[in-house]
Amino acid sequence: YNDLSSDSDDDDRMVLNDIGKQSKQQQQQSLTARALLDGSNLDGSGYQNDAERNAMMRKWDKDSSKSKNNTNKNVSTDNKATSVGGVTPGTGVRKIIYAARTHSQLSQFIGELRRTKWGKDVKVVALGSRSLLCCNDDVMYQSKTNKKNSRRSEADITELCLDMQKNKSKNSSNGETKKNGQKTKTNGCPYLVSRDAISTLAMHSMVRPSDIEDMASLGKASHACSYYASREALAAAEVVVLPYNTLLSPQARQSVGLSITNALIVIDEAHNIPETLRALSSCKLSMQVAEAALAQLLAYTRKYSERLAGRNLFYLGQIRKILLAMIKYLKRGSSTQDDEEGLEANNSRVQRKEMIAAVDLMFTLKLDNINLFSILRYLKKSRLSQKLLGFVNHTAATTTSDHVPNEPDAQNVEFMSKHVSSMSIFETFLDTLTGTSREGKIIIEWPSEETSTTSSISPTLRFVQIHSASQLDNVVEEAHAVILAGGTLRPFSHVAAELFGDDVDVMRAASEAEGQLSRNFDMLSKSTPNKLLSPPSSMAQITPSLTTFTCGHVIPPNNVITACLSTGPTSVKLDFRHSSRSSNQMIDELGRTIMNMCNVVPSGFVVFLPSYKYESQVFQRWRSTGMLSQIDKLKHIHREPKNSRDVEDALAKYSSEASSPSKKGALLFSVMGGKMSEGINFANDMARCVLVAGLPFPDITDPVLKEKMESLDREFRQRGTGINGQDYYQNLCMRTVNQSVGRAIRHSNDYAAIVLCDYRYSSDMRIWKALPQWLRRGSGAPRSEDASFGKVMKNVRSFFVHHFHYPIENDIMPG
């Protein structure tokens, strides 16, 4: 607009003046339902979402800001009304986007939002997967008579959904939707028959804040697709609620039509972000996918070789060479029995692993003379993957009239979607080979000979992300502000190393801020040694664009008791290190400890064990000795289900017994880092006590973890700041412990006892200081006599007598 004359500027201002003089009632009456869905009137102006007029207003606002003094004298009040809160009318407001890891966390947030004073009016959209929002039982279940055990996977549901849309489009284009004036049955989804119905559902879903269950119910009732209605409502939403993967992946945001430009983004439980970013950045290329990509490429080249230019044939030949080399290498490795140089795999189905840098893989494949950047540019510019997908689907449609899709669970066949090109998977993997060895490594996996003949597992090249720093940049650069929230984000130096490790200044400032917080709390504790203290609130500006805030817990100090337990009822030292925890003596002592605690703890009692494998060992031992039935007589036992689909039912049964005044309560066994250790709300009587048995240190032999720790050690030596590998390893463990402990305290009036069952909690100062300050309450590490079984039982008993007035009898049982 710099070339426009001053006359045209005056015309623009006249147009804006005319718009501003219209009454708000007239403006809103002119808005259609479609205009509202497109985001008009979100800013309260009532203007249509018109690109041409908005461009004029943006130019006028820009010119006004350049000559602010003169403009303020000439612009009328009506003109100022065209901008509400600094937002250009017709373009919508600055959205608030809330992201969390689990579906239950998203539902809890919407529930809390409804309780606010604006909860009835705010327009909320909850995005979820097809498996959560699909209304079509034919797609969701293999058998309608046994829905619980026949629910399809997310991959199956997506495949069937896309198949139905494709079939409907094909039948409609062939004129098959009507016959003799009547509609014929098509293979299309009945919930996608009307776009108007989906738009109407999108409007209705924003009448009040609706979570995913509400959205699915609305779709069922209105016979319209909830999944596509939620995407339709995005533009008009003021608050968007979605899982991590959708927010953090640019491809996922683009596919659902979500723009985060100038949005306020809140990421809850943000300690999960590094792991999520690593998972999104990692990818794999199996031998079956590589073979499929090669077959498609050869068929395409044979058909169009005479029509392709020499340059195209050259690049297609280079791609064929890479695919052949990878397939040959994977086949040769799978037939080799010598695993002396391989890494032992934790999964018994995998014979051996090797982890190498991407550049080393290229040398091993003898492809070091190929320019991967040129090939990637060609793949992107030529859109070869899309062409091959269309070519393959067209060929399949012409050669067979009844194409049977791949079944994901068929033996010896790896599931490959008809709607995703094998070449696009190869292209994604090829892109990872252009990164540095610091960013990630390649793991080559070969299945055992027995497994390869009985299952669909094939040799695989897998890229694993080592450093997730800079992966968050695409979100930070687009958004207006990003809030990383959570109860286990400290130490800040750990978070900084994971997300901002490339910025040395941020790393150094984060370490200094963390140290200052710890010193302030220690000084406060020493000045008032006999008082239970809540940690003080603190805000620190790390950099001009990065600020940290920390505060104490909402509960009063006397509403929680923290007890470190070093010995059991028979004075056996509680040592849950990997080398000793599986002994019969240790498992039996744990059982005796829990039996005694059941006599003291009212209502719900949650026990967290270090791993699923150990949980199975414990139950097997207790079942053989009869201890399991003894515990069950005191409190009915519940176990964390192995299938995620059964979590809600298991929680409902446990909650009913734990909260029942007519029963002795219930006992729930869970696993730290498992399905119930995060995002689950064990409020009030659901968890009056949490017992944590052991410390869940991750597997130190994992090659990815070892590489990460070695990388951190190198950078710590070079920079002299940040965290080293051992600190990182301990933080991973303690973060899992702290997440599990936090399930019990859910509101300001809640109360619970926290029992840390392992001698290391009281003897190792590093572990004690890694606990949240609201748990430590200003006290030093417990004395050895305070960690004895008798002293802990006495303190826990007194705690519940004070809070619950609980009649406790025979609180200590004989060993």
Side-chain angles (χ1 to χ4, degrees):
Y1 291 96
N2 292 333
D3 295 331
L4 295 177
S5 64
S6 58
D7 292 337
S8 62
D9 290 343
D10 294 337
D11 292 339
D12 292 347
R13 293 189 180 93
M14 291 177 63
V15 171
L16 292 172
N17 288 339
D18 293 338
I19 293 175
K21 290 177 182 177
Q22 297 176 9
S23 68
K24 187 172 184 179
Q25 182 179 3
Q26 292 175 333
Q27 296 161 7
Q28 291 181 339
Q29 286 178 349
S30 65
L31 293 177
T32 63
R34 169 52 51 189
L36 290 172
L37 276 177
D38 286 340
S40 302
N41 197 43
L42 274 182
D43 51 20
S45 68
Y47 298 131
Q48 290 276 357
N49 194 352
D50 185 287
E52 184 176 353
R53 187 191 60 254
N54 292 337
M56 289 193 300
M57 286 187 286
R58 282 193 294 272
K59 177 196 178 294
W60 177 73
D61 287 338
K62 184 177 180 181
D63 291 344
S64 299
S65 63
K66 288 182 178 179
S67 53
K68 184 176 180 180
N69 295 333
N70 295 331
T71 304
N72 288 338
K73 297 176 181 178
N74 299 327
V75 176
S76 65
T77 304
D78 290 337
N79 287 349
K80 291 180 180 179
T82 62
S83 180
V84 180
V87 179
T88 304
T91 60
V93 298
R94 182 173 286 140
K95 289 188 188 320
I96 298 174
I97 299 176
Y98 174 86
R101 185 176 70 94
T102 64
H103 163 57
S104 61
Q105 288 170 322
L106 299 177
S107 297
Q108 288 176 31
F109 171 77
I110 293 178
E112 293 300 318
L113 189 61
R114 290 171 182 160
R115 298 173 57 188
T116 63
K117 64 179 181 180
W118 58 82
K120 294 181 180 179
D121 303 320
V122 65
K123 299 179 180 66
V124 179
V125 169
L127 295 180
S129 63
R130 284 180 171 88
S131 63
L132 295 173
L133 289 171
C134 180
C135 308
N136 191 339
D137 287 348
D138 292 331
V139 174
M140 292 287 290
Y141 307 100
Q142 294 178 351
S143 170
K144 291 184 180 179
T145 58
N146 186 19
K147 290 184 177 181
K148 184 175 180 180
N149 298 320
S150 65
R151 188 183 181 95
R152 288 190 169 97
S153 66
E154 180 69 33
D156 287 337
I157 294 170
T158 300
E159 191 77 0
L160 287 172
C161 176
L162 296 176
D163 282 344
M164 284 185 166
Q165 294 179 58
K166 188 174 181 180
N167 291 336
K168 178 184 177 183
S169 176
K170 184 193 303 181
N171 293 337
S172 299
S173 63
N174 292 336
E176 298 177 6
T177 53
K178 286 190 177 182
K179 187 176 181 180
N180 298 329
Q182 295 185 355
K183 292 184 178 180
T184 62
K185 185 178 180 180
T186 68
N187 293 325
C189 180
Y191 291 86
L192 281 171
V193 294
S194 171
R195 180 174 175 82
D196 290 338
I198 292 177
S199 298
T200 302
L201 175 59
M203 290 290 292
H204 286 175
S205 69
M206 291 185 290
V207 172
R208 60 186 291 271
S210 302
D211 59 21
I212 291 177
E213 287 87 356
D214 297 331
M215 191 69 182
S217 299
L218 283 172
K220 281 268 189 183
S222 60
H223 211 71
C225 180
S226 303
Y227 177 74
Y228 285 102
S230 63
R231 296 167 68 165
E232 183 94 358
L234 265 181
E238 296 169 317
V239 178
V240 180
V241 179
L242 76 175
Y244 286 159
N245 291 3
T246 306
L247 172 67
L248 298 176
S249 170
Q251 294 81 8
R253 294 200 303 268
Q254 183 178 5
S255 67
V256 301
L258 174 66
S259 171
I260 62 173
T261 303
N262 290 327
L264 297 173
I265 297 178
V266 181
I267 302 178
D268 202 1
E269 303 293 351
H271 64 273
N272 292 309
I273 294 300
E275 187 61 35
T276 304
L277 289 172
R278 276 193 289 270
L280 290 173
S281 302
S282 301
C283 66
K284 70 174 185 177
L285 178 69
S286 67
M287 189 171 71
Q288 289 188 8
V289 172
E291 289 175 335
L294 179 62
Q296 294 170 12
L297 181 66
L298 292 176
Y300 181 81
T301 306
R302 279 195 300 269
K303 186 173 181 65
Y304 299 110
S305 59
E306 296 182 357
R307 297 165 56 181
L308 292 171
R311 180 174 176 273
N312 289 328
L313 290 173
F314 168 76
Y315 280 113
L316 293 179
Q318 294 279 83
I319 295 170
R320 183 172 72 93
K321 181 179 179 181
I322 297 174
L323 284 168
L324 281 171
M326 290 180 173
I327 294 170
K328 183 179 179 181
Y329 178 69
L330 290 173
K331 284 184 175 180
R332 184 176 68 248
S334 62
S335 62
T336 302
Q337 298 300 319
D338 180 19
D339 62 348
E340 291 181 357
E341 297 180 0
L343 295 168
E344 290 295 333
N346 294 326
N347 192 336
S348 60
R349 298 180 299 175
V350 179
Q351 179 189 6
R352 65 190 183 99
K353 293 181 180 180
E354 288 184 11
M355 185 169 71
I356 59 176
V359 63
D360 294 331
L361 176 65
M362 296 300 290
F363 275 100
T364 302
L365 299 177
K366 299 180 180 179
L367 299 173
D368 51 292
N369 60 337
I370 292 181
N371 189 335
L372 294 182
F373 294 97
S374 298
I375 292 178
L376 287 169
R377 281 195 298 268
Y378 172 78
L379 286 168
K380 185 176 181 179
K381 187 175 181 180
S382 66
R383 303 181 66 196
L384 180 63
S385 59
Q386 292 93 323
K387 292 177 181 177
L388 287 182
L389 181 62
F391 169 74
V392 170
N393 289 341
H394 175 73
T395 303
T398 56
T399 55
T400 176
S401 58
D402 189 18
H403 179 69
V404 180
N406 252 346
E407 288 295 332
D409 48 356
Q411 281 194 341
N412 301 323
V413 178
E414 180 179 351
F415 173 63
M416 291 183 285
S417 172
K418 302 188 303 294
H419 306 282
V420 178
S421 170
S422 298
M423 184 59 70
S424 68
I425 299 174
F426 167 74
E427 182 179 350
T428 301
F429 180 78
L430 205 64
D431 186 47
T432 64
L433 299 182
T434 61
T436 65
S437 60
R438 178 182 179 273
E439 294 174 352
K441 293 291 181 70
I442 306 296
I443 293 181
I444 307 105
E445 297 175 343
W446 289 281
S448 63
E449 184 177 354
E450 178 184 357
T451 303
S452 62
T453 58
T454 59
S455 72
S456 61
I457 299 177
S458 64
T460 301
L461 296 169
R462 183 161 59 96
F463 172 80
V464 290
Q465 187 85 22
I466 302 297
H467 281 270
S468 54
S470 79
Q471 299 297 315
L472 194 64
D473 290 350
N474 69 84
V475 174
V476 175
E477 290 172 359
E478 287 191 52
H480 173 74
V482 178
I483 299 173
L484 303 178
T488 56
L489 285 179
R490 293 186 59 189
F492 293 137
S493 53
H494 184 120
V495 180
E498 290 277 65
L499 299 179
F500 311 104
D502 294 334
D503 194 325
V504 179
D505 293 335
V506 170
M507 293 283 293
R508 183 175 291 108
S511 297
E512 292 174 357
E514 180 64 36
Q516 187 61 45
L517 280 172
S518 299
R519 287 190 294 271
N520 291 344
F521 183 67
D522 290 342
M523 290 175 61
L524 183 63
S525 303
K526 292 177 181 179
S527 62
T528 53
N530 297 322
K531 291 185 178 181
L532 294 174
L533 299 171
S534 292
S537 299
S538 175
M539 180 178 289
Q541 188 171 18
I542 303 293
T543 68
S545 60
L546 179 62
T547 301
T548 62
F549 173 76
T550 182
C551 60
H553 210 291
V554 294
I555 61 167
N558 58 357
N559 274 26
V560 62
I561 179 174
T562 305
C564 296
L565 188 59
S566 297
T567 57
T570 61
S571 300
V572 173
K573 184 179 181 181
L574 296 174
D575 181 2
F576 289 96
R577 289 179 297 177
H578 194 274
S579 58
S580 58
R581 69 189 186 192
S582 298
S583 67
N584 291 339
Q585 182 189 38
M586 194 57 55
I587 294 176
D588 292 343
E589 192 73 354
L590 175 63
R592 286 187 287 266
T593 300
I594 292 174
M595 287 176 62
N596 280 277
M597 295 294 296
C598 285
N599 285 317
V600 176
V601 176
S603 304
F605 182 12
V606 182
V607 175
F608 283 101
L609 299 174
S611 70
Y612 287 105
K613 182 180 179 181
Y614 186 65
E615 191 246 18
S616 298
Q617 292 176 348
V618 166
F619 271 77
Q620 184 178 356
R621 170 65 181 174
W622 289 349
R623 196 176 286 112
S624 65
T625 61
M627 188 173 291
L628 195 63
S629 60
Q630 295 180 48
I631 298 175
D632 193 66
K633 290 178 183 178
L634 298 172
K635 286 185 184 290
H636 184 58
I637 293 176
H638 298 258
R639 295 176 69 178
E640 179 179 310
K642 291 184 169 127
N643 196 324
S644 299
R645 299 170 185 169
D646 300 328
V647 169
E648 289 191 16
D649 290 340
L651 277 175
K653 293 177 182 177
Y654 166 73
S655 176
S656 176
E657 292 194 16
S659 305
S660 174
S662 61
K663 297 183 180 180
K664 293 185 178 181
L667 175 62
L668 175 65
F669 284 91
S670 302
V671 174
M672 287 180 273
K675 304 174 187 66
M676 294 184 174
S677 65
E678 183 178 334
I680 302 297
N681 191 354
F682 289 115
N684 302 322
D685 287 342
M686 284 187 70
R688 287 305 178 197
C689 178
V690 170
L691 185 145
V692 176
L695 289 160
F697 283 103
D699 183 10
I700 193 64
T701 64
D702 178 59
V704 179
L705 177 61
K706 288 175 66 176
E707 179 65 27
K708 176 73 174 179
M709 292 174 63
E710 291 172 2
S711 177
L712 288 172
D713 284 337
R714 288 193 298 269
E715 294 180 0
F716 184 78
R717 287 193 297 267
Q718 293 171 2
R719 300 174 176 178
T721 187
I723 61 173
N724 57 35
Q726 189 59 39
D727 289 342
Y728 173 80
Y729 184 63
Q730 180 176 300
N731 289 340
L732 290 178
C733 168
M734 295 309 299
R735 183 171 286 171
T736 306
V737 170
N738 295 336
Q739 279 294 321
S740 301
V741 166
R743 298 309 93 213
I745 306 295
R746 309 307 300 173
H747 57 82
S748 59
N749 295 321
D750 210 350
Y751 64 91
I754 310 299
V755 180
L756 305 172
C757 193
D758 194 300
Y759 82 97
R760 290 172 290 180
Y761 284 107
S762 59
S763 62
D764 192 331
M765 184 59 71
R766 293 182 307 165
I767 292 175
W768 173 254
K769 284 199 168 184
L771 293 170
Q773 291 177 343
W774 63 272
L775 275 182
R776 291 185 280 134
R777 296 298 186 188
S779 62
R783 297 171 298 178
S784 58
E785 56 268 26
D786 293 334
S788 65
F789 179 77
K791 187 65 176 290
V792 168
M793 288 294 294
K794 178 181 178 182
N795 292 339
V796 172
R797 181 183 184 278
S798 300
F799 175 80
F800 285 119
V801 168
H802 171 73
H803 281 281
F804 198 74
H805 305 292
Y806 186 61
I808 300 170
E809 299 179 359
N810 299 324
D811 54 322
I812 299 182
M813 300 178 65

